[in-house]
Each structure stands twice: as structure tokens, then as C-alpha cells.
Amino acid sequence: MSTQTSELLAAAAPRTVDVVRGISDDQLDLPTPCSDYLVRDLLNHLFQVVVNFQDLAEKRQVEWAEKPDHLGDGWRDRFEVETGRLVTAWSDPSTLEGVSPGMGMPQPVIGGMALLDLTVHGWDLAVATGQPYHPVPEVVARLHELVEQLGPTARKMGVFADPLPTPIPDLAPDLTHLLTQTGRTPTWPQTP
């Protein structure tokens, strides 16, 4: 990731915020492309990502083991506020310097991971709840590099599933490739 991390986060954030705003309470128990997560679980995970990556921008330690429930009153508004804070947190160029003390990876990679989660989980939530999702092409192009870099380790850790074959002709090739490299079926829920 380059010094454009904050600009890419700023471009990606509204698309995911729109999806989150479009989720109705009666959709919270629907399945998602992340087989271990229902919509509510994935929302809570994405909330935790958005909050924790604010601290990671400041090179502070974060707690991943705790799994708070973020879906109380006003959660859609809070998600938008926290996502705005995430973008602001990464807007200082110094956030991209050095290595993350909590994650042990270069800060530009950490910023890229925030962008990846915001984008891919935005898609996950959109398809799970029947909403359109069109990520910014520049964001998707940048994420290809990151997924290629992180893929082997992410697969060993169970963060990504094994990559699936591409292409699937009626989807945007860049998004299709990004999704398949993280082990997602771009035509979910229909399986081949």
C-alpha cells in the first residue's frame, strides 16, 4: 500500500456504509459467504475491524479476543461514524511508517488490511442481504497486490479459503479475481 491508503479508504467507506445502512433487522440471521458468520456476526466482526484498525493506525495494541456486540440501538449510525474515524486515523502519512507493534507487519500492510476487510466484507454483506455492491476499481486493483502478498499466510491461518478458479464471465473481472483469491464464490449463494 502506498501513501494513498487514506484516499482509498475514503473511497471504499461510503460503499460499505451504504450496504450496512441497507441491512434490515430481519436480515441479521441470514447466512453470508463467510461460512462461519451470519449477517449479525459479520457485522460485529466488521465493526471490530473498523474500531481496532483506528488504534492500529496509531501503532497501539488491540484486543481481538473480545467479541463485543455492536448491534445495539443506532448501530447503523455508529458504524458510519466509526468508519469515518477509521479514514481519519489513516490520513496522517506517519501512520504508514514502521512496523505495527501489535501485528508485527509493516504499517502500509496494516492499512491495506483495513481496506481489504472494508471492501470484501462489504461485498459479503451486500450479497447476503440482496443489495448491489460496486467497489471502486482503484481500490480493487490495489487490493490484488495485497491479497497476493498475504495469501499464503492468510490461508495457513484460515483467514482466506483456498483460491477458486476464475474467471466468471458476467462479473467485473477485477472483483471476481479478488473474491476468488480470498476463497469466495463470486456467484454466491449459487454454487457450481
Side-chain angles (χ1 to χ4, degrees):
M1 289 289 128
S2 72
T3 55
Q4 296 179 337
T5 297
S6 65
E7 290 90 354
L8 294 171
L9 282 167
R15 312 255 173 137
T16 301
V17 167
D18 286 348
V19 169
V20 168
R21 283 202 171 280
I23 297 171
S24 62
D25 289 345
D26 64 350
Q27 293 176 314
L28 294 176
D29 291 319
L30 293 176
T32 71
C34 301
S35 59
D36 294 341
Y37 292 115
L38 297 175
V39 168
R40 76 173 58 253
D41 304 321
L42 190 54
L43 281 166
N44 273 310
H45 168 71
L46 189 54
F47 240 115
Q48 186 175 29
V49 164
V50 166
V51 170
N52 280 356
F53 276 81
Q54 293 170 38
D55 285 336
L56 289 169
E58 302 298 323
K59 302 176 182 83
R60 292 191 292 259
Q61 298 275 350
V62 297
E63 178 56 56
W64 292 105
E66 291 181 25
K67 305 290 183 201
D69 184 0
H70 294 281
L71 304 185
D73 289 342
W75 60 267
R76 293 168 188 86
D77 292 335
R78 280 196 327 280
F79 182 79
E80 183 171 9
V81 168
E82 292 298 344
T83 302
R85 289 178 179 154
L86 173 71
V87 172
T88 300
W90 286 93
S91 65
D92 182 344
S94 69
T95 60
L96 297 174
E97 297 170 1
V99 173
S100 169
M103 303 281 277
M105 292 184 264
Q107 281 291 110
V109 172
I110 301 300
M113 290 169 65
L115 183 64
L116 180 65
D117 273 26
L118 201 60
T119 303
V120 173
H121 289 324
W123 178 84
D124 291 330
L125 290 167
V127 298
T129 58
Q131 298 183 63
Y133 184 73
H134 305 286
V136 177
E138 293 81 8
V139 169
V140 174
R142 185 61 57 86
L143 291 175
H144 282 288
E145 301 167 23
L146 182 68
V147 168
E148 201 171 296
Q149 177 184 355
L150 295 178
T153 302
R155 286 182 196 97
K156 280 183 197 170
M157 296 174 63
V159 175
F160 293 171
D162 288 334
L164 299 174
T166 57
I168 296 172
D170 59 343
L171 297 174
D174 285 343
L175 178 60
T176 298
H177 184 72
L178 179 65
L179 295 171
T180 59
Q181 291 310 295
T182 63
R184 285 163 171 80
T185 302
T187 55
W188 189 92
Q190 304 136 351
T191 53

